[in-house]
Amino acid sequence: MRIERVELRHLRMRLRTPFETSFGCEAERDCLVVRLEAEGLVGWGECAADRWPGYSYETVGTAWHFLEEFAVPRLLHGPIEGPAEVRARLHHLKGHPLARAGLEMAVWDLVGKASSKSLAALLGGTRQRVAVGVSVGIQPDVRSLVSTVASYIDQGYARVKLKIKPGRDVEEVRAVRREFPELRLQVDANSAYSLEDAAVFEAMDDLGLLLIEQPLAEDDLIDHSRLQARLRTPVCLDESILSLRHARQALDVGACRVINIKPGRVGGLCEAVAVHDLCLARGVPVWCGGMLETGIGRAANLALASLAGFTLPGDISATDRYYAEDIAEPRFVLNADSTITVPQGPGLGIEVSEAALETFTLRRAVLCDAGG
Ligand code: OSB
Ligand code: MG
């Protein structure tokens, strides 16, 4: 197909409640939305980079630069076969996985619409509903943490992830565990610790956690393998895994026993499926992480999480948990069994409201094929 027109939008959306992690607190979420036009069809993609480089070095600003100057011109140059070709055309460019994933997602949406197949079907999904949980930010104090967790359990979430940071860890997790002895519980440190803090994680080893996510620095597989050797609880890597190669090497050196797959972080859905396939072949459980996406990115995450190897609940919560107003319909709702239904319509299976989009837009650019 020939991509004729590309529109980029920088959005800013207010979160229902501020989200605090070890790298900061945000009340608004920025992202970059990609809209492609090809042969009468429209494809949507979301780049999950944020306003500032807290989770990743990428920001909406760097993604915009990468897409506008380098990636989009390569896609506008001649017809493309499909998503794998996006990856191939950008192969000689370094870095910027979140940016390239946003562009690739929009091509997946186009391909799905052109072939009347859902993204889940294109990726090889095997289930219609996926098990999900909720990621709970750092709260002002232990009491409000316990009551926030209680309210999510009341809403039907059967798995809870607690964000932790130095000084706000063992005691808080213990308090939640004491209140909810049977809860499927896990923690995420977003790389805030070093190996000298191993005692913190050893103290959590008896709390029956499903996993400990990204305790140490993102570029440190060696210390993660030393930490994992000291724990019975599986270490799960998020920030450290930017590609299939990282996943293979992390497993080879015993740096983790579980992997959080985010299509954005690994540069797109093609690479995400490859990481999934590797883990499935090696018997390593995976789950789909989240980045506080809009309905666009969440639809893609649901499709990905429908693959057979996603055996742990994803960070894919109902639309209500994130935004009072979203840019896509339908809104995602939590089923009574702590699952969310995978969209079945063509492509991402959602309708994006251009009017809603407009209200959140800070900046917009249109790029067309110079040749016509
Ligand atoms: O580390 O998993 C993370 C949100 C933004 C950036 C990084 C992370 C997160 C979350 C929230 O934990 C997951 C979600 O519900 O989207
Ligand atoms: Mg994480």
Side-chain angles (χ1 to χ4, degrees):
M1 59 173 60
R2 176 176 286 280
I3 295 173
E4 294 134 11
R5 185 176 181 278
V6 180
E7 187 179 284
L8 306 179
R9 282 176 189 259
H10 178 170
L11 306 190
R12 178 163 302 158
M13 290 166 60
R14 177 150 294 276
L15 291 165
R16 289 285 297 270
T17 53
F19 189 65
E20 184 172 348
T21 62
S22 64
F23 56 80
C25 185
E26 55 190 330
E28 296 168 317
R29 178 74 167 105
D30 286 22
C31 71
L32 190 162
V33 166
V34 179
R35 181 185 184 278
L36 302 181
E37 276 180 31
E39 295 160 17
L41 298 170
V42 172
W44 295 95
E46 175 173 351
C47 159
D50 206 345
R51 184 180 190 173
W52 43 285
Y55 168 80
S56 149
Y57 63 82
E58 289 184 85
T59 64
V60 173
T62 68
W64 192 285
H65 169 65
F66 176 82
L67 292 170
E68 184 175 47
E69 298 286 325
F70 308 110
V72 170
R74 279 166 170 80
L75 273 207
L76 287 170
H77 187 73
I80 60 161
E81 289 278 343
E85 195 172 338
V86 178
R87 201 186 186 198
R89 289 226 192 149
L90 307 185
H91 182 68
H92 296 290
L93 303 174
K94 290 226 186 320
H96 306 278
L98 297 177
R100 57 180 86 210
L103 194 56
E104 195 213 70
M105 189 190 301
V107 172
W108 278 105
D109 190 29
L110 277 177
V111 168
K113 285 168 174 164
S115 60
S116 296
K117 286 189 179 142
S118 69
L119 178 60
L122 292 175
L123 297 176
T126 59
R127 48 176 90 88
Q128 295 189 346
R129 308 165 128 213
V130 303
V132 303
V134 62
S135 174
V136 178
I138 295 166
Q139 301 295 313
D141 52 55
V142 178
R143 269 189 56 190
S144 54
L145 174 63
V146 170
S147 69
T148 301
V149 169
S151 81
Y152 282 124
I153 293 172
D154 287 346
Q155 289 169 41
Y157 291 102
R159 189 231 67 184
V160 171
K161 166 168 127 180
L162 305 179
K163 291 291 193 177
I164 57 168
K165 67 176 181 181
R168 304 293 306 278
D169 41 43
V170 186
E171 230 181 284
E172 327 237 336
V173 182
R174 223 179 247 141
V176 172
R177 175 50 87 212
R178 198 177 305 125
E179 199 69 21
F180 309 104
E182 304 296 330
L183 179 64
R184 302 188 83 192
L185 188 64
Q186 61 194 55
V187 296
D188 186 0
N190 285 112
S191 73
Y193 296 82
S194 66
L195 192 59
E196 283 93 82
D197 304 310
V200 170
F201 300 103
E202 285 168 338
M204 286 184 203
D205 215 10
D206 293 327
L207 295 176
L209 301 179
L210 287 173
L211 55 92
I212 295 170
E213 183 177 347
Q214 198 67 43
L216 312 180
E218 61 276 11
D219 57 356
D220 196 343
L221 292 184
I222 301 301
D223 278 356
H224 273 110
S225 72
R226 292 187 176 120
L227 181 63
Q228 178 67 91
R230 291 166 66 168
L231 300 173
R232 278 173 287 115
T233 310
V235 168
C236 166
L237 291 177
D238 174 355
E239 285 92 323
S240 292
I241 308 298
L242 301 175
S243 67
L244 175 63
R245 183 165 43 80
H246 285 167
R248 176 171 50 77
Q249 294 178 354
L251 296 175
D252 284 350
V253 301
C256 64
R257 293 184 195 143
V258 175
I259 291 180
N260 163 338
I261 302 182
K262 292 178 179 172
R265 197 195 61 226
V266 299
L269 289 158
C270 291
E271 192 82 2
V273 170
V275 174
H276 160 273
D277 293 349
L278 169 82
C279 292
L280 188 59
R282 293 205 185 180
V284 173
V286 301
W287 55 286
C288 183
M291 302 270 286
L292 311 176
E293 289 90 344
T294 73
I296 298 176
R298 197 175 333 288
N301 287 345
L302 285 164
L304 179 67
S306 74
L307 271 66
F310 285 81
T311 53
L312 288 168
D315 273 349
I316 312 173
S317 307
T319 304
D320 257 359
R321 180 257 175 274
Y322 306 99
Y323 301 106
E325 201 194 333
D326 200 344
I327 55 175
E329 292 281 343
R331 293 171 71 85
F332 295 113
V333 294
L334 189 68
N335 300 317
D337 57 351
S338 195
T339 63
I340 295 182
T341 304
V342 180
Q344 290 302 314
L348 291 169
I350 48 158
E351 277 311 314
V352 176
S353 155
E354 307 240 7
L357 205 56
E358 197 59 35
T359 64
F360 297 117
T361 299
L362 300 181
R363 180 185 179 196
R364 177 174 164 272
V366 175
L367 308 167
C368 294
D369 185 0

